[in-house]
Amino acid sequence: MEFKDGAILMAKSFLVSYLIFHSEYPSTNSWTKEIQDTFNFTVTSAFTPFTSFPCSFWTNESGTWAQRVGSLTATNATSKVFTYQPNEGNILWGIRCPQSDDGNIINTSINFTLNIDRTLPIVEITQLNNISISNSSYFSRNSLSINYSITELNQNTCRLYVNNSLNVSDLFKADSDKNFTLTASDGIYNILVGCNDSANNWKNSSTYQVILDTLPPQLIEPHNVSTGGFANRRSINFSSNENINSTIFYGTTIDTTSSIANNSFSTGKNITISGFEQNTQYYFNITVCDRAGNCNNSGTAFGQYSFVFPFKLLTGWSYYGIY
């Protein structure tokens, strides 16, 4: 027996038709992710006294048409419901019913298409502003490019969620570049990308925290003080309103050609510099940067700090930077 697409093969005895048990599927060319799918059909015959028919369910899953479910006794003009677990992929299915008193009088339904996909997509956020993804990343801008990838044959829709709320939806395009743009004010945000396939299998990426920070850190109360027991050292201390690293540039001219850096992040700094010449005026500038890369510095435009290193003076004196 061969099923023919797009036509009903008529026998003189009765007509085979189908009904939909579910409101959405398995209508022809529909998608499903169910382990067991429910099918419906109705046998209608106005020409036979018989009220039941021994029907069977056929598919082309193996590449050729074959019976998958037999002994489906259908009552005339009454929907017949049964379940079957098809293999993943795109299949054709149909119903075959012989007349009860004559197995040579057979009718078949048209072919119906069913698309089965039970596999979840694989979704990953790959880059933020073209930088490899890492959690708790800082960015000194209010616009963030979020690149993501999805591994899925039947791609459908992806969505960006920010702090558990839907931000924007993206319908897939033919190109392979997939990204969202998040525009937001300074703050801390939790982001993830969720994608589904045509069968509505849904998968979320991992959640990442990002911090948008466009403001430079404050440079608070810079002091330079003597170091007990040493005649050629100075300690420079200052603080900020957020975690910072710092670099102190110093020298005997305003060019401040020497420098010392502290790359650890903290709100307070105490840095000791040695090797000063006695009775010599020194200048120093302080540059502080936050985790987002925003920087602030004392610089000549903001008031450069200076002090005169005295002769053979060890402890008990202090000079303060002047803005």
Side-chain angles (χ1 to χ4, degrees):
M1 179 194 70
E2 181 180 1
F3 285 75
K4 301 294 184 180
D5 289 331
I8 297 179
L9 303 180
M10 297 294 297
K12 65 180 181 180
S13 179
F14 60 91
L15 167 69
V16 177
S17 63
Y18 81 100
L19 297 176
I20 303 302
F21 181 70
H22 292 301
S23 60
E24 296 182 8
Y25 56 86
S27 57
T28 190
N29 206 34
S30 63
W31 287 86
T32 180
K33 60 180 180 180
E34 303 299 329
I35 299 299
Q36 290 278 353
D37 280 285
T38 302
F39 296 83
N40 248 356
F41 68 94
T42 299
V43 178
T44 303
S45 175
F47 307 106
T48 177
F50 302 103
T51 58
S52 64
F53 308 95
C55 299
S56 55
F57 173 76
W58 293 64
T59 75
N60 70 339
E61 292 171 75
S62 61
T64 58
W65 283 97
Q67 177 180 304
R68 309 300 176 185
V69 181
S71 303
L72 296 174
T73 302
T75 302
N76 190 17
T78 303
S79 65
K80 176 66 178 179
V81 179
F82 66 97
T83 59
Y84 173 70
Q85 180 178 333
N87 296 327
E88 284 200 63
N90 305 322
I91 69 167
L92 296 175
W93 65 274
I95 301 296
R96 180 182 186 272
C97 296
Q99 186 168 295
S100 298
D101 63 339
D102 189 344
N104 294 318
I105 301 177
I106 303 171
N107 199 5
T108 61
S109 70
I110 62 172
N111 296 337
F112 303 103
T113 302
L114 183 61
N115 307 292
I116 305 99
D117 184 351
R118 304 186 186 99
T119 303
L120 294 176
I122 299 174
V123 184
E124 297 177 342
I125 297 178
T126 56
Q127 289 184 323
L128 298 176
N129 280 359
N130 298 317
I131 300 173
S132 296
I133 185 71
S134 62
N135 200 30
S136 298
S137 297
Y138 287 77
F139 298 91
S140 59
R141 57 188 301 174
N142 295 122
S143 180
L144 184 62
S145 177
I146 303 170
N147 296 326
Y148 64 93
S149 66
I150 174 173
T151 303
E152 170 60 48
L153 293 176
N154 306 303
Q155 300 174 1
N156 188 24
T157 303
C158 283
R159 296 174 180 175
L160 173 65
Y161 291 87
V162 180
N163 292 342
N164 297 319
S165 296
L166 178 62
N167 184 266
V168 66
S169 293
D170 175 35
L171 297 180
F172 280 91
K173 309 171 183 64
D175 61 272
S176 59
D177 295 329
K178 298 178 174 64
N179 65 82
F180 293 107
T181 299
L182 170 64
T183 302
S185 58
D186 282 13
I188 300 174
Y189 300 93
N190 294 308
I191 62 172
L192 67 85
V193 172
C195 299
N196 70 343
D197 56 26
S198 298
N200 203 31
N201 294 294
W202 189 273
K203 181 67 174 179
N204 291 334
S205 72
S206 299
T207 299
Y208 293 93
Q209 184 182 85
V210 296
I211 300 96
L212 305 185
D213 178 6
T214 59
L215 298 177
Q218 297 177 17
L219 179 57
I220 302 173
E221 296 183 347
H223 297 154
N224 71 88
V225 297
S226 60
T227 301
F230 295 93
N232 64 344
R233 295 185 183 183
R234 296 291 284 177
S235 291
I236 299 175
N237 56 75
F238 49 90
S239 61
S240 181
N241 62 320
E242 59 180 310
N243 286 322
I244 54 168
N245 61 23
S246 62
T247 303
I248 298 176
F249 299 89
Y250 63 97
T252 57
T253 67
I254 61 174
D255 293 332
T256 59
T257 55
S258 299
S259 66
I260 184 170
N262 185 308
N263 293 321
S264 63
F265 283 92
S266 62
T267 57
K269 298 292 184 182
N270 187 9
I271 300 173
T272 299
I273 305 176
S274 61
F276 293 114
E277 298 292 334
Q278 61 187 13
N279 293 326
T280 303
Q281 183 168 0
Y282 284 88
Y283 301 86
F284 68 95
N285 297 323
I286 302 173
T287 297
V288 294
C289 300
D290 60 24
R291 291 184 182 273
N294 304 299
C295 295
N296 193 2
N297 63 79
S298 57
T300 55
F302 299 95
Q304 193 173 45
Y305 309 110
S306 67
F307 62 90
V308 176
F309 204 87
F311 178 71
K312 294 182 180 180
L313 193 60
L314 298 180
T315 61
W317 56 275
S318 177
Y319 285 81
Y320 295 87
I322 302 173
Y323 291 94

